[in-house]
Amino acid sequence: MENKSKTRKEIEKQKEYIKKVKEINKDKNQKYSILTMGCQLNENDSEKICGMLEEMGYTKTESQNEVDLAIFNTCCVRENAEDKLFGKLGELKRLKEQKGTIIAIGGCMMQEKHITDKIKQSYPYTDIIFGTHTLHKLPEDLYKALKEKKRQEDILDIDGKIYEDLPIKRDSNIKASVTIMNGCNNFCSYCIVPYVRGRERSREPKAIIEEVREIAKQGYKEVTLLGQNVNSYLRVEREKGIEFEQYEGVNSFATLLRAINKIEGIERIRFVSPHPKDFTDDVIEAIADCDKVCKLVHLPLQSGNTKVLKEMNRKYTKEQYLNLVEKMKEKISNLTLSTDIIVGFPEETDEEFEDTLDVVEKVKFEQVYMFIYSRRVGTPGDRMENQIPEEIKHKRFDKLKALVESQIKENNQKYLGTIQKVLVEGTSKNNEHMLTGRTDSNKVVIFEGDKSLIGNMVELEIVSEHMWYLKGETVPTVSKER
Ligand code: 5AD
Ligand code: SF4
């Protein structure tokens, strides 16, 4: 409780800084740009950053030449994001010199000392560096950077608290993301996340439910619950006796799904990412029972080989994963699955990699997110001796990709002639005369229709497939209610 009043006071203080920066920006038509790297959690953090900036009088621009404040929300899960950030920072130097653009870098990468050292040394014109635990302090950092014209470095190494009531500007007005927990306790040996996002902390049930009620009131139809390990929601709190307030009977992930399923207005509930080891029966039953919970479940596999899984510290075997899939298929009708796979983890042999292909063949995933193993400083994987040469990693990746693509093609055939419920998200990027939406299984469907259908659930007959999307046609039973 004492913690809660402290965080509330902190947010009040930041709201004062929001007012102060707004005053500085008055009549100045200040513009900001934001580049978000990485996962949906980062995207959700960026929505909070945008919410704060717009309250401070900034408006968003896509045109680099007019940017007064450039924000980077970084990711460090894989190496390529680093090259992208440094490239962009180099590009901004000229703008900084011409226009005095303020440059602020936040997010996961800023929790890594070797990265912040590099920024200070090679890009000294950076104004603000903030971490994953200090995002809420951006108004204060910005105020100080504007007033004192001194670089602000605001990084916390300890686990951050949960701050409620930050302003938010969401990217869509149909689908919303809601973070339900921060951090991760799993320490998969390839992964940097536990080091940069800290230990697991769940948000209070009441705060989450009220946020979902609010977005439902605003007309959102779909909510995605976010966390590094969503299906262990409140587990640490329960196990360690950390006080939390039960609300609407919520004391676990399963009960949270059931409570959100009751919220009027919300038509679809998704969640990412769960961990296979935490897929308890109550969660499976909740997915089966709750009509609004999408039957596409993301179940990260990472590797199909038991020895590699052990090295990865994933805490399940190939057989346990396959048994879990069987159990879920039995209990959840119309279940579809997506997954994450890493190829080329240290010591992985060709034979062990074959097990990954075997699981992919057996499970027939709806979607596979494939990653080439990337060494992350400070993780056990980085310290392992037998790192796999790049060309072998790429060969394995190509082999997996070919298998996945042939399965997707085959799987698409199943949709042909079926009627699918599609949530219409907007006009198609490639053809503004067509509308685009997604099925329960998250497949993109393109169809011809009136723009008034945007934001509605429609029924479409699938008439053709095109690898990454399906084409549909409206059927007479379109439900038009909002
Ligand atoms: N190298 C490659 N992929 C990784 N992932 C996490 N860490 C690494 C890494 N070091 C992948 C995992 C995870 C997804 C979000 O990113 O598959 O599930
Ligand atoms: Fe990383 Fe594993 Fe935690 Fe996911 S569960 S964030 S892969 S350590």
Side-chain angles (χ1 to χ4, degrees):
M1 291 302 148
E2 193 199 336
N3 246 344
K4 256 199 234 168
S5 78
K6 266 194 198 154
T7 54
R8 212 174 293 137
K9 269 201 194 121
E10 177 61 33
I11 291 301
E12 277 163 22
K13 184 172 137 196
Q14 293 307 320
K15 287 191 174 162
E16 287 307 309
Y17 279 111
I18 287 183
K19 282 188 206 152
K20 286 185 189 173
V21 177
K22 192 175 179 176
E23 193 51 40
I24 297 177
N25 283 343
K26 210 170 140 195
D27 304 323
K28 285 197 188 141
N29 189 20
Q30 294 286 289
K31 299 270 176 31
Y32 77 96
S33 66
I34 184 160
L35 176 71
T36 308
M37 301 161 181
C39 66
Q40 291 187 53
L41 273 152
N42 243 21
E43 281 168 15
N44 191 229
D45 280 349
S46 283
E47 291 181 332
K48 290 173 191 155
I49 293 174
C50 294
M52 291 190 275
L53 293 181
E54 303 222 347
E55 286 207 359
M56 287 187 270
Y58 289 94
T59 48
K60 197 170 177 174
T61 178
E62 304 294 334
S63 143
Q64 187 165 305
N65 286 339
E66 55 177 27
V67 173
D68 301 293
L69 169 63
I71 304 256
F72 296 91
N73 191 10
T74 61
C75 164
C76 58
V77 169
R78 286 171 295 275
E79 198 174 3
N80 38 13
E82 285 162 25
D83 304 337
K84 189 168 171 186
L85 172 71
F86 295 134
K88 289 274 171 198
L89 277 178
E91 276 173 34
L92 275 178
K93 190 173 183 204
R94 184 188 50 87
L95 205 65
K96 175 86 195 169
E97 283 163 0
Q98 282 172 356
K99 207 172 145 57
T101 298
I102 300 273
I103 300 172
I105 320 176
C108 295
M109 223 190 274
M110 297 307 103
Q111 297 291 137
E112 295 183 292
K113 194 172 173 302
H114 67 281
I115 300 280
T116 49
D117 284 348
K118 180 165 176 180
I119 290 176
K120 284 184 272 184
Q121 206 175 43
S122 308
Y123 308 90
Y125 47 89
T126 300
D127 299 278
I128 302 170
I129 297 177
F130 61 102
T132 52
H133 308 303
T134 44
L135 173 140
H136 63 282
K137 282 179 69 195
L138 185 60
E140 180 175 347
D141 295 334
L142 195 51
Y143 176 78
K144 289 183 176 163
L146 289 166
K147 271 277 174 205
E148 296 166 14
K149 309 221 178 313
K150 243 182 24 207
R151 184 170 60 222
Q152 303 298 313
E153 191 178 343
D154 202 355
I155 313 272
L156 256 184
D157 274 336
I158 51 156
D159 299 342
K161 299 188 182 82
I162 291 188
Y163 292 91
E164 299 293 349
D165 282 337
L166 287 179
I168 186 156
K169 174 136 195 318
R170 298 186 191 273
D171 291 338
S172 150
N173 51 12
I174 298 161
K175 307 197 294 186
S177 301
V178 172
T179 298
I180 64 166
M181 65 192 305
N182 294 334
C184 181
N185 287 1
N186 290 329
F187 290 94
C188 300
S189 53
Y190 50 81
C191 187
I192 192 77
V193 168
Y195 306 90
V196 296
R197 290 247 175 202
R199 296 295 69 71
E200 274 178 37
R201 292 134 0 245
S202 293
R203 277 178 78 194
E204 289 276 347
K206 188 167 186 234
I208 298 171
I209 290 174
E210 283 179 350
E211 186 174 347
V212 180
R213 280 194 187 129
E214 182 54 35
I215 59 178
K217 232 193 318 178
Q218 291 168 10
Y220 287 87
K221 294 290 166 67
E222 182 175 306
V223 60
T224 301
L225 307 177
L226 299 179
Q228 303 296 347
N229 194 9
V230 279
N231 53 346
S232 74
Y233 173 69
L234 284 179
R235 207 197 43 211
V236 172
E237 284 75 3
R238 283 195 314 271
E239 284 176 2
K240 293 201 171 155
I242 299 169
E243 200 185 341
F244 67 89
E245 204 182 313
Q246 270 210 34
Y247 183 73
E248 308 268 319
V250 176
N251 61 1
S252 64
F253 185 59
T255 46
L256 180 68
L257 285 180
R258 290 182 187 277
I260 293 179
N261 196 58
K262 288 190 199 136
I263 298 177
E264 223 176 286
I266 294 296
E267 295 190 24
R268 273 186 179 165
I269 303 165
R270 300 187 189 273
F271 54 88
V272 276
S273 267
H275 193 299
K277 78 173 166 54
D278 297 308
F279 240 104
T280 44
D281 288 350
D282 60 336
V283 176
I284 298 176
E285 280 156 23
I287 298 170
D289 290 348
C290 295
D291 57 330
K292 296 176 184 174
V293 174
C294 290
K295 306 310 177 213
L296 169 78
V297 173
H298 186 66
L299 198 63
L301 169 67
Q302 312 301 0
S303 162
N305 176 269
T306 297
K307 181 176 157 275
V308 176
L309 286 167
K310 193 161 187 336
E311 296 288 344
M312 285 179 163
N313 194 26
R314 289 293 289 174
K315 303 192 175 77
Y316 52 86
T317 62
K318 175 184 182 184
E319 286 68 33
Q320 283 167 336
Y321 185 92
L322 288 171
N323 289 342
L324 175 63
V325 167
E326 274 320 299
K327 179 154 87 177
M328 289 171 71
K329 282 186 175 166
E330 227 167 75
K331 296 207 167 155
I332 305 169
S333 46
N334 298 323
L335 178 81
T336 53
L337 291 161
S338 60
T339 200
D340 290 345
I341 291 176
I342 298 176
V343 302
F345 185 72
E347 289 175 15
E348 182 190 62
T349 63
D350 279 336
E351 222 179 359
E352 288 162 354
F353 170 65
E354 289 295 321
D355 270 332
T356 298
L357 299 177
D358 185 45
V359 175
V360 170
E361 266 175 26
K362 288 196 165 99
V363 178
K364 302 207 183 328
F365 295 101
E366 191 71 31
Q367 178 69 273
V368 180
Y369 301 91
M370 296 167 275
F371 306 105
I372 288 175
Y373 172 69
S374 167
R375 292 176 78 161
R376 303 288 72 204
V377 175
T379 60
D382 187 45
R383 295 190 289 271
M384 286 171 72
E385 269 175 22
N386 286 330
Q387 299 289 329
I388 307 295
E390 286 305 311
E391 60 190 89
I392 297 186
K393 287 192 211 169
H394 280 90
K395 264 195 192 143
R396 289 184 193 159
F397 184 87
D398 291 345
K399 208 166 167 187
L400 175 63
K401 187 164 167 266
L403 172 63
V404 167
E405 288 185 357
S406 75
Q407 283 191 332
I408 288 180
K409 198 84 187 149
E410 195 183 313
N411 187 43
N412 280 352
Q413 306 299 318
K414 283 196 220 139
Y415 284 92
L416 296 178
T418 62
I419 306 288
Q420 296 287 324
K421 269 192 155 180
V422 169
L423 177 60
V424 188
E425 293 175 8
T427 50
S428 160
K429 269 196 199 125
N430 302 326
N431 181 350
E432 59 171 300
H433 302 296
M434 301 287 274
L435 297 178
T436 175
R438 281 175 192 264
T439 63
D440 178 286
S441 58
N442 216 26
K443 273 259 168 218
V444 173
V445 185
I446 314 275
F447 69 105
E448 240 175 81
D450 193 86
K451 288 203 172 110
S452 64
L453 292 174
I454 295 171
N456 288 292
M457 200 71 95
V458 298
E459 292 198 329
L460 298 175
E461 183 182 345
I462 305 304
V463 293
S464 61
E465 66 84 22
H466 306 261
M467 193 74 187
W468 303 115
Y469 68 94
L470 306 170
K471 247 190 194 153
E473 278 176 8
T474 42
V475 287
T477 51
V478 177
S479 74
K480 279 202 173 170
E481 75 275 9
R482 268 221 80 147

